[in-house]
Amino acid sequence: IDATADLVCAYKPQFAHYAAYRAEDQLERTIEYIHKTHPGVPVILDAKRGDVGNTAERYAVEAFERYGADAVTVNPYLGSDSLEPFLKYADRGVVILCRTSNPGARDLQDRLIGSRKLYQVVAELAAQRWNSRGNCLLVVGATYPADLAEVRALVGDMPLLVPGVGAQRGDVAHVVRNGQTARGTGLIISSSRAILYASSGEDFASAARAATQQLRGEINSSRTRPA
Amino acid sequence: IDATADLVCAYKPQFAHYAAYRAEDQLERTIEYIHKTHPGVPVILDAKRGDVGNTAERYAVEAFERYGADAVTVNPYLGSDSLEPFLKYADRGVVILCRTSNPGARDLQDRLIGSRKLYQVVAELAAQRWNSRGNCLLVVGATYPADLAEVRALVGDMPLLVPGVGAQRGDVAHVVRNGQTARGTGLIISSSRAILYASSGEDFASAARAATQQLRGEINSSRTRPA
């Protein structure tokens, strides 16, 4: 964290990789550490929650109060009332899965509903209904850059969280070109394994920093800057 | 638990209601207690997981190895490769969200894809592709009994987990009539609040038992028994 905090726009710890090892306390302490030492860098808890009303409320408490996350990823399959308990935390971000970066994303997300694919319906619902407090973001994988352009066209300047560069081999320049807003902003491009495992030696921190600098350079050199 | 173990076919602890209170250890110990004292009663961990491949593997480890659950609920939005890490535990159940019991279920699950609704596409994928090891179940809410009949027609004898009776006011007789297999089986009808909160007094255990007996009676009196 200390090796990269001046280079990144956010951290996105992945819940499963703590939960499988009974390491919830380490997740709590990691987020607390980021907030304390790098208060300008928000933390997105990647937990992909999705449940009915009273249970979704408990998940919102878990993410925002217990872990103190600034944002959390959620799954839209259960619809509006499963998202509202998160959305009502108006000062926190709710990052809704839209078009994910994995091969199986096709199974449901690409199904045609009239003239729209399911992920486009999710993008429209986010833009038109779920974003009344201005705290929605969407997940759109880097591995499908054409879909990123489709989503950008539907959601205005809504920020997009883009996993799938690095280990999943999405193309950064293509992602930026298709996903950025008119002002060259609006993207949170996430890289996990390519940075975390940049080196397994004692130079892991400097190797992680170098990998982060490289990705940051690639992102920024592809951005359209307003004149 | 001890007041109801001779009456039920499964327990379904809800992850969020532990996680919001930093009570993962109590969830572990509760499941361990059920296995030790009532080894014939399986535990379904209701955690609604859904993530990409390598992360889904960690969630499967969490559910099946850390918590020792016999089955876990999962969300199908990310498609086949998000389910496979769970499905490959061939001796465990994978309970896939299909038609949930909440009002917002309509937002995506009822969308028409050709002549099928999205939840019917999920049911077909479960029956035709995801159930190759015979360890799939589907969640279909009691609040939409007509949809339960549609799903039953698509999935043969696959077991269905049915939440939404009790506090959510689904009709038990209607659920059983529409959801049972030809042999009068194939349903796990879940009631949480109506049993857990049957009484807040010292008689909570006997009140929970009475509520369980009543629901069990309603279920069994509606079943078609083979001659």
Side-chain angles (χ1 to χ4, degrees):
Chain A
I1 290 165
D2 291 336
T4 57
D6 60 318
L7 302 174
V8 304
C9 64
Y11 288 102
K12 183 178 75 65
Q14 169 49 256
F15 182 83
H17 293 272
Y18 294 85
Y21 302 102
R22 302 184 89 238
E24 284 82 10
D25 56 333
Q26 284 162 265
L27 177 57
E28 289 174 0
R29 293 198 329 255
T30 300
I31 295 174
E32 196 183 355
Y33 180 83
I34 296 168
H35 283 154
K36 204 174 112 193
T37 54
H38 308 290
V41 185
V43 175
I44 302 165
L45 180 61
D46 194 358
K48 299 189 176 65
R49 300 308 191 203
D51 214 307
V52 299
N54 73 313
T55 301
E57 279 172 23
R58 295 296 94 198
Y59 277 124
V61 167
E62 182 204 19
F64 296 143
E65 301 185 24
R66 174 182 178 181
Y67 289 111
D70 301 289
V72 64
T73 56
V74 297
N75 187 310
Y77 189 72
L78 281 83
S80 299
D81 57 320
S82 74
L83 304 176
E84 182 56 25
F86 296 95
L87 293 167
K88 75 180 185 195
Y89 285 78
D91 63 342
R92 307 297 172 103
V94 182
V95 189
I96 302 166
L97 296 180
C98 178
R99 182 65 167 91
T100 57
S101 57
N102 59 315
R106 287 186 195 94
D107 291 335
L108 298 181
Q109 296 165 30
D110 278 4
R111 299 279 179 153
L112 270 178
I113 294 164
S115 61
R116 290 269 194 248
K117 291 180 179 172
L118 178 61
Y119 78 85
Q120 295 170 320
V121 171
V122 169
E124 286 180 321
L125 284 168
Q128 293 166 16
R129 206 195 307 173
W130 298 331
N131 198 32
S132 61
R133 298 177 189 86
N135 61 341
C136 277
L137 302 84
L138 292 176
V139 174
V140 185
T143 43
Y144 303 92
D147 298 350
L148 204 44
E150 303 260 22
V151 172
R152 176 55 71 205
L154 292 169
V155 301
D157 288 349
M158 186 180 290
L160 305 179
L161 173 63
V162 184
V165 304
Q168 293 179 69
R169 308 184 71 83
D171 178 63
V172 174
H174 205 167
V175 163
V176 174
R177 217 157 48 233
N178 284 11
Q180 67 188 340
T181 65
R183 300 177 51 235
T185 61
L187 293 174
I188 300 171
I189 298 176
S190 162
S191 177
S192 302
R193 284 169 277 176
I195 290 172
L196 288 168
Y197 307 135
S199 163
S200 57
E202 289 194 6
D203 64 337
F204 75 92
S206 60
R209 180 172 180 83
T212 307
Q213 277 177 313
Q214 194 194 326
L215 175 58
R216 186 175 198 259
E218 285 177 53
I219 293 169
N220 283 336
S221 68
S222 304
R223 291 169 66 187
T224 303
R225 307 282 192 154
Chain B
I1 290 164
D2 291 336
T4 57
D6 61 318
L7 302 174
V8 303
C9 64
Y11 288 102
K12 183 179 75 65
Q14 168 50 256
F15 182 82
H17 293 272
Y18 294 85
Y21 302 102
R22 302 185 88 237
E24 285 82 10
D25 57 332
Q26 284 162 266
L27 177 57
E28 288 175 0
R29 295 202 322 259
T30 300
I31 295 174
E32 196 183 355
Y33 180 83
I34 296 169
H35 283 154
K36 204 173 112 194
T37 54
H38 308 291
V41 185
V43 175
I44 302 165
L45 180 61
D46 194 358
K48 299 189 176 65
R49 299 310 191 202
D51 214 306
V52 299
N54 74 313
T55 301
E57 279 172 23
R58 295 296 94 197
Y59 277 124
V61 167
E62 182 205 19
F64 296 142
E65 301 185 24
R66 173 183 178 181
Y67 289 111
D70 301 289
V72 64
T73 55
V74 297
N75 187 309
Y77 189 72
L78 281 83
S80 299
D81 57 321
S82 74
L83 303 176
E84 182 57 24
F86 296 95
L87 293 167
K88 75 180 185 196
Y89 285 78
D91 63 342
R92 308 297 172 104
V94 182
V95 190
I96 301 166
L97 296 180
C98 179
R99 182 65 167 91
T100 57
S101 57
N102 60 315
R106 286 185 196 94
D107 291 335
L108 298 181
Q109 296 166 30
D110 278 4
R111 298 278 179 154
L112 270 178
I113 294 163
S115 61
R116 290 268 194 248
K117 291 179 179 173
L118 178 61
Y119 78 85
Q120 295 170 320
V121 171
V122 169
E124 286 180 321
L125 284 168
Q128 293 166 17
R129 206 194 309 172
W130 298 331
N131 198 33
S132 61
R133 298 177 189 86
N135 61 341
C136 278
L137 302 84
L138 292 176
V139 174
V140 185
T143 43
Y144 303 92
D147 298 350
L148 204 44
E150 302 260 22
V151 171
R152 175 55 71 205
L154 292 169
V155 301
D157 289 349
M158 186 180 291
L160 305 179
L161 172 63
V162 185
V165 304
Q168 292 179 70
R169 308 185 70 84
D171 177 64
V172 174
H174 205 167
V175 163
V176 174
R177 217 158 47 234
N178 284 12
Q180 67 189 339
T181 66
R183 300 177 51 235
T185 61
L187 293 174
I188 300 171
I189 297 176
S190 163
S191 177
S192 302
R193 284 168 278 176
I195 291 172
L196 288 168
Y197 307 135
S199 163
S200 56
E202 287 193 7
D203 64 336
F204 75 92
S206 61
R209 180 172 180 82
T212 307
Q213 277 177 314
Q214 194 194 325
L215 175 58
R216 186 175 198 260
E218 286 178 52
I219 293 169
N220 283 336
S221 68
S222 304
R223 291 169 66 187
T224 303
R225 308 281 193 154

